Amino acid sequence: MLLTDVFTPTDFPKLTYVERDQLHLEMLLGEWVRSSTEIASISGPSKAGKTVLVQRVVGEGNLVTVSGASVRSPDQLWERVLDWLGEPHATMTSSIDTKTETDTRERTAQLGFSGTGATHKSGHLEAEGQADTLQATVNRRGLPQVVAEIARSPTTVLLDDFHYIPAAIQADVAQQLKDAASRGVRLCVASVPHQADNVVRALPELRGRVMAIDIDYWSKRDLLQIPALGCKALNIDIDPASLQSFATEAAGSPQLMQSICLWTCSHYGVREPQETYRMITLDETARKEVLFLTSVTADFRSLVRQLISGPRRERRNYVHFDGRTGDVYLTVMRAIALDPPRLTIDYSELTRRLEELCKGASPDGASVIGACTRIKQIALSKASSAGPAIDWDEDAQILIVNDPYLLFYLRWSVVLEREADAL
C-alpha cells in the first residue's frame, strides 16, 4: 500500500471513504438501485463528491459517465455510452454458403487366371465445390443497443451537468432517458443545485419517476473523518490543531481535504504505512508550506489574471495594509481571499473586508458593485462544463465562489501578492 492508495483526490477513495450517515445518502441511493425504472437526480455543488457517492453505491467498475456538455443531439448521449463501453462504430458480419457435387464411376473386370474366379474393381471419384460468401456491415443502433448491452445489469449511466445540453433538445433527451429507464437501463443525472430540476422541467412526464437526492458541502466534522481513516491506515497521527485548520481551508470539499492530507504526508516523507507509530506536529510555517504546495494542484492562473485585469482603462489604486497597492479589481479579489475562507460573501461582509484590507480609503459602493458585475461576466466567458468558478448575484448582492479550489488558490498560491508586487 502506498500513500496514493490512501489519500486519493482524483480517484475513488477506497480507504478514506466517509459515509455521512446523518444525510442517509447511501441508503437513498441503495433504494434507487432496487427500483429499476426510476431515474436518480443528484444535486450538489462542485467538488462535493457527487460522482464518488454514486460510485460507492453502484460499484467502481459499473459507472459510465457522460458529460452533458458533450451531448449535442439526442442520439449522441447513447453514442457516448457506447464509446465508454468500447463498442465499435461498425461491425462486419459474414456467412459462407458451400455446395459440393460428386460423380462416382466404378469399373469391374474378370481376371484371366486359370482355375480362379477372381475379379478386380476400380473406382473414380470426381467432386466439384462452390462457396458463396455474403458480407454485411452493421452500424451502432443507439438506444436499442445500449438496452441490449446493459439493461437490468449493474452498469449505471451517470449524465453529469444536464443543463449544458442545448435547451432545444433537452426535452428529446429527457424523453429518451424516460424510455431507457422504463426498459431497465439504470440512469442517474447529476447537477448543481440551481439546475437540479432541469430534467423534470424539460419533460414534466418524469414527475414521479425521479428520485431527487440533494447533497451539500461537507461539514468540518465529516471532513475530519478523512484524515482519521487515512492516518490510521498509515500508522501516523497529525496534530489536531493542524487538522482543524486544514478542514477549514478545504471549504467543504472532500476532494480538497484529500489533497491537503496527501501533501502533508508527502511533505513529511510518509509515502507508505510506517513500521512504528509516528506523530506529526506542524507549526504555522509548516502549515503554510503544505497549503502552498497543495495550491499547485489548483491552477487558475489564466482566469485570475483576467479577473484582476478588468476593463482596460485607468483606475484608482488603493493602499493595502501590507503596503501593497491595487485597483478595485485586485482589491476585491484580495478581500475575497481574507480570513475566514468563505464560499459566499454578501455585500456587507465584502465591504467590511475591503475596509479591513485597505489602509486608507476603500472602494465605494458603486465601484464594488461594478467590479463584481464585471467579475461575473469574465467568469461566465471562461466557464467550464461545471459552470462559472465565481458568480455575483445582483439581486441578493452576494458574491459566490462556486469552486472551492478557486478560493483555495486565491488564498495560498500567492498569485494576488505577486500581481500587487508587480504594480
Side-chain angles (χ1 to χ4, degrees):
M1 182 170 58
L2 300 175
L3 170 62
T4 50
D5 298 320
V6 178
F7 295 117
T8 57
T10 59
D11 202 357
F12 182 81
K14 292 185 179 73
L15 298 172
T16 51
Y17 182 87
V18 176
E19 288 194 14
R20 295 191 281 169
D21 296 333
Q22 70 277 16
L23 301 178
H24 308 296
L25 300 174
E26 287 80 8
M27 183 196 74
L28 288 169
L29 271 181
E31 288 301 318
W32 161 69
V33 166
R34 285 183 282 276
S35 61
S36 59
T37 59
E38 277 190 327
I39 298 172
S41 175
I42 299 183
S43 166
S46 175
K47 309 297 189 299
K50 298 187 291 292
T51 301
V52 168
L53 171 64
V54 180
Q55 280 181 302
R56 172 72 170 190
V57 174
V58 306
E60 285 183 77
N62 295 328
L63 191 61
V64 178
T65 304
V66 179
S67 170
S70 69
V71 177
R72 288 295 173 264
S73 68
D75 293 335
Q76 203 168 28
L77 167 61
W78 311 116
E79 285 293 307
R80 296 288 179 262
V81 174
L82 293 170
D83 286 342
W84 186 286
L85 295 173
E87 295 295 324
H89 287 270
T91 55
M92 183 75 73
T93 61
S94 62
S95 62
I96 301 176
D97 185 18
T98 59
K99 215 179 344 181
T100 304
E101 294 182 359
T102 60
D103 181 20
T104 303
R105 297 176 187 172
E106 186 176 279
R107 185 174 61 187
T108 304
Q110 184 75 35
L111 296 178
F113 293 106
S114 175
T116 69
T119 60
H120 170 71
K121 292 183 180 181
S122 65
H124 177 69
L125 176 67
E126 291 183 359
E128 182 177 342
Q130 181 179 348
D132 295 325
T133 302
L134 301 176
Q135 291 186 330
T137 301
V138 179
N139 295 314
R140 285 179 173 180
R141 295 177 291 115
L143 176 56
Q145 186 175 350
V146 170
V147 171
E149 293 286 341
I150 65 173
R152 292 176 174 77
S153 78
T155 302
T156 301
V157 177
L158 172 62
L159 177 56
D160 204 2
D161 296 322
F162 179 88
H163 57 284
Y164 279 100
I165 297 174
I169 65 167
Q170 283 186 6
D172 291 336
V173 172
Q175 181 64 57
Q176 291 206 16
L177 292 175
K178 175 177 173 287
D179 293 345
S182 67
R183 294 162 71 179
V185 177
R186 191 186 292 169
L187 290 163
C188 180
V189 178
S191 59
V192 291
H194 60 285
Q195 306 282 358
D197 62 345
N198 274 29
V199 65
V200 174
R201 284 193 285 114
L203 187 68
E205 295 172 40
L206 283 173
R207 295 193 191 280
R209 296 173 177 265
V210 174
M211 177 181 284
I213 300 173
D214 297 330
I215 67 176
D216 202 349
Y217 284 121
W218 288 35
S219 67
K220 286 182 67 173
R221 187 190 73 170
D222 290 334
L223 289 173
L224 288 168
Q225 291 300 309
I226 294 173
L229 294 169
C231 288
K232 182 179 180 181
L234 293 167
N235 197 25
I236 65 170
D237 263 328
I238 299 172
D239 69 281
S242 295
L243 291 179
Q244 286 286 338
S245 173
F246 293 159
T248 299
E249 295 298 340
S253 169
Q255 184 176 332
L256 188 47
M257 190 68 182
Q258 292 270 358
S259 190
I260 295 171
C261 292
L262 179 69
W263 279 100
T264 302
C265 293
S266 180
H267 187 57
Y268 283 89
V270 179
R271 294 183 173 83
E272 58 188 15
Q274 303 296 284
E275 293 184 5
T276 58
Y277 168 79
R278 181 178 174 186
M279 180 69 192
I280 296 175
T281 303
L282 295 81
D283 58 19
E284 186 176 355
T285 300
R287 290 173 198 163
K288 288 181 177 179
E289 288 176 354
V290 167
L291 294 170
F292 170 75
L293 291 170
T294 307
S295 74
V296 175
T297 63
D299 189 358
F300 286 91
R301 283 175 294 182
S302 176
L303 174 61
V304 171
R305 286 194 187 109
Q306 294 196 46
L307 291 175
I308 62 180
S309 294
R312 295 186 177 277
R313 62 171 180 261
E314 290 295 323
R315 295 187 293 268
R316 176 182 175 180
N317 278 344
Y318 301 90
V319 180
H320 301 167
F321 68 85
D322 56 4
R324 296 181 171 95
T325 62
D327 63 14
V328 63
Y329 292 94
L330 180 55
T331 302
V332 167
M333 296 305 292
R334 290 200 73 189
I336 294 170
L338 289 177
D339 289 331
R342 293 265 176 85
L343 293 171
T344 58
I345 304 173
D346 63 26
Y347 176 75
S348 61
E349 169 70 6
L350 182 58
T351 300
R352 186 195 65 75
R353 289 185 177 218
L354 289 167
E355 292 173 351
E356 177 187 335
L357 174 65
C358 294
K359 201 171 182 179
S362 60
D364 60 31
S367 298
V368 173
I369 291 175
C372 290
T373 302
R374 180 59 181 161
I375 285 170
K376 172 181 180 175
Q377 293 169 350
I378 294 171
L380 280 171
S381 70
K382 297 296 178 183
S384 68
S385 61
I390 187 169
D391 201 357
W392 167 249
D393 186 329
E394 190 170 354
D395 294 332
Q397 300 276 283
I398 295 176
L399 195 63
I400 306 159
V401 183
N402 291 314
D403 193 328
Y405 272 87
L406 173 59
L407 179 61
F408 190 84
Y409 182 76
L410 293 174
R411 286 176 58 78
W412 295 108
S413 69
V414 303
V415 62
L416 298 179
E417 289 77 3
R418 284 200 302 264
E419 291 293 334
D421 288 339
L423 294 177

